[in-house]
Amino acid sequence: MLNIVLFGPPGAGKGTQAAKLVDKYNLVHLSTGDIFRENIKGKTELGILAKSYMDDGNLVPDEVTIKMLESEVDKNSSAKGFIFDGFPRTTNQSEALEVFLEGKNTSISVMLALDVSEQELIKRLLLRGKHSGRADDANEEVISNRISVYNKQTAVVADFYTNQNKFEKIDGIGSVEEIFDRLSNAINNHNVTV
Ligand code: B4P
């Protein structure tokens, strides 16, 4: 199985690139942000809870997020592999994912981390906020909080995969196609089963 963690700060381009990678490598795309947004739209209990955190740019609690992710993996038992987009975002989440995948006799193949400057992230998110309707893109204060949450709680997740020799930093500046080529090369060169 090819299991990729697509990593990076908010607005780094994870969702944009994941959509292209799933097509090329025939993987299932699991974006925790997208799943939360679908639940918010459907006004489910999970959606109402998630919204209260997401609108302020905070992380949804681990317990809820991990359970949700595991149930999404279980729904796709015939998948050839997964792109985890926006998950794991805390050390707890990475540990839980490792144990969960071990139970299925598989593991993460590689973490691809998109590297983008803070100035560019803010520019991209404010631009998207003009038409996305996403409350968390709408003002600079919330965007700053998301970046600060990333620096405090999420950036450390890279160490977890670095220690396993599975971490690849990818320059996230350039055209969508250029970045896609860099990601594809990293996958092809990382000695992972496709
Ligand atoms: P996410 O949905 O994961 O959102 P994101 O980090 O903003 O997006 P991404 O990096 O995918 O950016 P995109 O490609 O869209 O998270 C939202 C919230 O959900 C979190 O803040 C949190 O509250 C909650 N959440 C999600 N997962 C969680 C977890 N595991 N635990 C707890 N809470 C969780 O790109 C952004 C913009 O840049 C787009 O407008 C795009 O068009 C543009 N762009 C992309 N590539 C570009 C390029 N090369 N050049 C210029 N612009 C580009």
Side-chain angles (χ1 to χ4, degrees):
M1 265 181 125
L2 174 62
N3 295 313
I4 297 172
V5 172
L6 202 52
F7 190 69
K14 301 182 292 288
T16 305
Q17 295 296 334
K20 295 174 71 65
L21 290 169
V22 286
D23 279 350
K24 177 161 180 178
Y25 293 99
N26 197 11
L27 303 169
V28 171
H29 178 202
L30 292 183
S31 157
T32 39
D34 286 351
I35 302 166
F36 285 135
R37 281 185 288 276
E38 276 160 29
N39 276 277
I40 291 172
K41 221 161 127 193
K43 296 194 167 61
T44 67
E45 204 181 315
L46 174 64
I48 292 162
L49 175 88
K51 186 172 174 9
S52 64
Y53 293 93
M54 288 169 76
D55 281 359
D56 294 333
N58 294 318
L59 295 182
V60 179
D62 279 344
E63 201 188 85
V64 185
T65 307
I66 292 167
K67 218 156 78 188
M68 176 186 86
L69 190 277
E70 292 181 350
S71 115
E72 291 295 324
V73 171
D74 283 336
K75 280 185 202 161
N76 290 281
S77 54
S78 58
K80 288 173 65 186
F82 292 90
I83 292 198
F84 297 101
D85 163 7
F87 185 96
R89 256 178 161 98
T90 63
T91 304
N92 268 344
Q93 291 180 15
S94 16
E95 287 167 354
L97 182 63
E98 181 162 61
V99 172
F100 179 68
L101 292 180
E102 251 170 36
K104 300 189 174 300
N105 289 321
T106 187
S107 60
I108 292 302
S109 316
V110 64
M111 166 184 266
L112 302 172
L114 291 168
D115 185 32
V116 177
S117 70
E118 199 166 312
Q119 200 187 7
E120 171 73 13
L121 296 174
I122 295 170
K123 201 174 94 188
R124 286 185 190 179
L125 292 173
L126 283 173
L127 191 69
R128 181 171 68 185
K130 285 188 185 159
H131 33 78
S132 68
R134 276 178 59 169
D136 60 345
D137 287 342
N139 78 68
E140 206 161 336
E141 209 179 304
V142 174
I143 292 173
S144 290
N145 186 42
R146 288 165 66 193
I147 296 173
S148 140
V149 165
Y150 172 83
N151 289 330
K152 284 191 200 134
Q153 297 181 55
T154 304
V156 69
V157 171
D159 298 343
F160 186 87
Y161 294 96
T162 303
N163 292 338
Q164 300 184 2
N165 263 332
K166 291 179 175 175
F167 177 83
E168 293 274 348
K169 186 156 133 178
I170 308 291
D171 181 1
I173 301 282
S175 71
V176 169
E177 282 308 323
E178 279 165 348
I179 299 163
F180 181 59
D181 284 345
R182 287 175 204 149
L183 289 165
S184 301
N185 287 338
I187 294 170
N188 300 338
N189 293 336
H190 197 79
N191 204 13
V192 290
T193 324
V194 179

